[in-house]
């Protein structure tokens, strides 16, 4: 069985391949990358490295030749992802891929999360493709707060518009392990997994965790979304990025990242990584 992972030198894709290498022959694994130079370590371990951009259907079809199972790691170019993902799904079908797993977001078809529409559209493309599939609806990554750790080390504060909202985050490695489990075991076809951490924490708890890492007092300073935009633009962010981050906080306040399902720990056969442990590892890397 040949398994391919797109975005294989990205933060999630690389972790998935590390998991796969613990149980699969390296030669049965395909790393689909944009820059082969960044995958030199994978190639040296026997992984097949194939170059293809999400925007190049012909290169994608060539890269997926002989592949039976594919993990489509969602692209990072917000606004372009539906077209790019459509290219991957079309290339997979043309290349004879039998099964595709996709990294989506929690409750992609019903949530109001600002990130959801492109994922919902991609899920619809996959369902319409006729391929066997599994939808991995990933919740929030604890590592998303690595920059918050760095900032709080300097300022002693977490400024956010998340109110009393909670986040059921897990480590990126937890989600990678779930993807690897789906790719290497049977019975996942047609399934949709809502994946999240085992515990939903609030921003006061985030402040406490970061204080333990930073070795100083850290407090949570809740602000309104417009106030956060002012803070972020004053720090040098452009208006669009600041507005997007404020919208994510608003979604957090609304509880859109708080769902605890138990499905992630069920897939990986262990508890998800606690927030403090994940942030400590991220801060050290």
């Amino acid at each position: 069985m040949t398994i391919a992972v797109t975005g294989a030198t990205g933060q999630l894709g690389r972790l998935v391949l590390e998991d796969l290498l613990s149980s699969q022959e390296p030669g049965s694994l395909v790393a689909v990358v944009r820059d082969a130079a960044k995958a030199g370590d994978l190639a040296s371990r026997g992984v097949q490295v194939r170059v293809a951009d999400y925007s190049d259907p012909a290169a994608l079809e060539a890269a997926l030749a002989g592949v039976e199972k594919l993990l489509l790691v969602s692209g990072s170019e917000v606004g372009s992802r539906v077209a790019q993902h459509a290219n991957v799904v079309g290339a997979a079908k043309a290349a004879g891929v039998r099964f595709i797993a996709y990294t989506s977001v929690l409750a992609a078809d019903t949530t109001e999360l600002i990130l959801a529409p492109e994922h919902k559209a991609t899920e619809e493309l996959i369902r319409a493709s006729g391929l066997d599939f599994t939808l991995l609806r990933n919740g929030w990554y604890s590592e998303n707060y690595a920059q918050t750790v760095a900032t709080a080390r300097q300022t002693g504060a977490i400024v956010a518009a998340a109110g009393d909202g909670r986040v059921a985050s897990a480590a990126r490695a937890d989600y990678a392990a779930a993807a690897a489990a789906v790719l290497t075991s049977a019975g996942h076809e047609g399934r949709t997994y809502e994946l999240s951490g085992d515990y939903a924490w609030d921003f006061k708890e985030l402040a406490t965790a970061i204080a333990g890492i930073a070795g100083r007092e850290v407090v949570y300073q809740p602000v309104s979304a417009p106030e956060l935009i002012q803070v972020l633009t004053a720090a040098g962010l452009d208006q669009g990025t600041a507005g997007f981050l404020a919208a994510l906080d608003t979604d957090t306040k609304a509880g859109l990242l708080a769902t605890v399902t138990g499905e992630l720990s069920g897939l990986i056969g262990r508890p998800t990584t606690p927030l403090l442990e994940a942030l400590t590892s991220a801060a050290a890397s």
Side-chain angles (χ1 to χ4, degrees):
M1 179 177 64
T2 302
I3 301 172
V5 177
T6 69
T9 55
Q11 292 174 309
L12 180 64
R14 185 174 285 275
L15 288 172
V16 174
L17 275 169
E18 288 297 334
D19 262 290
L20 292 172
L21 281 165
S22 68
S23 64
Q24 307 297 305
E25 289 296 324
S28 69
L29 302 177
V30 174
V32 181
V33 302
R34 288 187 295 182
D35 183 354
K38 294 181 179 180
D41 61 313
L42 294 171
S44 69
R45 296 163 70 182
V47 175
Q48 300 181 56
V49 174
R50 301 179 185 177
V51 177
D53 188 277
Y54 284 1
S55 299
D56 189 339
L60 287 165
E61 185 176 343
L64 297 178
V67 169
E68 295 171 70
K69 291 188 174 184
L70 168 66
L71 175 66
L72 169 53
V73 176
S74 59
S76 59
E77 297 177 35
V78 176
S80 301
R81 290 190 284 195
V82 178
Q84 292 178 343
H85 295 165
N87 288 337
V88 179
V89 174
K93 191 169 183 178
V97 173
R98 297 187 310 181
F99 170 86
I100 183 169
Y102 172 64
T103 60
S104 188
V105 294
L106 278 172
D109 55 345
T110 58
T111 184
E112 295 181 4
L113 184 70
I114 189 174
L115 293 170
E118 288 183 301
H119 291 289
K120 179 182 178 182
T122 300
E123 289 188 2
E124 291 170 351
L125 287 169
I126 291 170
R127 290 182 187 277
S129 71
L131 298 174
D132 285 334
F133 66 88
T134 298
L135 301 177
L136 300 168
R137 290 180 170 172
N138 289 355
W140 219 233
Y141 300 143
S142 297
E143 290 87 349
N144 289 344
Y145 297 95
Q147 183 56 50
T148 305
V149 175
T151 300
R153 269 194 170 125
Q154 297 178 334
T155 66
I158 298 172
V159 180
D164 295 326
R166 291 181 171 271
V167 180
S169 70
R172 191 174 277 110
D174 296 335
Y175 295 102
V182 165
L183 291 166
T184 56
S185 58
H188 304 287
E189 293 82 357
R191 297 287 300 275
T192 296
Y193 292 106
E194 304 285 354
L195 304 177
S196 62
D198 293 335
Y199 175 74
W201 47 264
D202 64 22
F203 275 61
K204 290 181 180 178
E205 291 170 288
L206 175 62
T208 298
I210 292 177
I213 298 168
R216 62 170 296 175
E217 182 182 10
V218 176
V219 297
Y220 170 41
Q221 296 180 359
V223 296
S224 68
E227 288 171 332
L228 180 61
I229 291 172
Q230 290 181 347
V231 169
L232 295 174
T233 53
L237 288 184
D238 64 89
Q239 191 74 23
T241 301
F244 177 75
L245 293 174
L248 282 175
D249 271 11
T250 300
D251 287 347
T252 302
K253 184 177 182 179
L256 301 185
L257 300 177
T259 305
V260 176
T261 68
E263 293 187 20
L264 178 53
S265 53
L267 270 179
I268 63 180
R270 59 171 173 77
T272 59
T273 306
L275 176 65
L276 178 58
E277 182 179 336
L279 289 179
T280 299
S281 178
S285 62

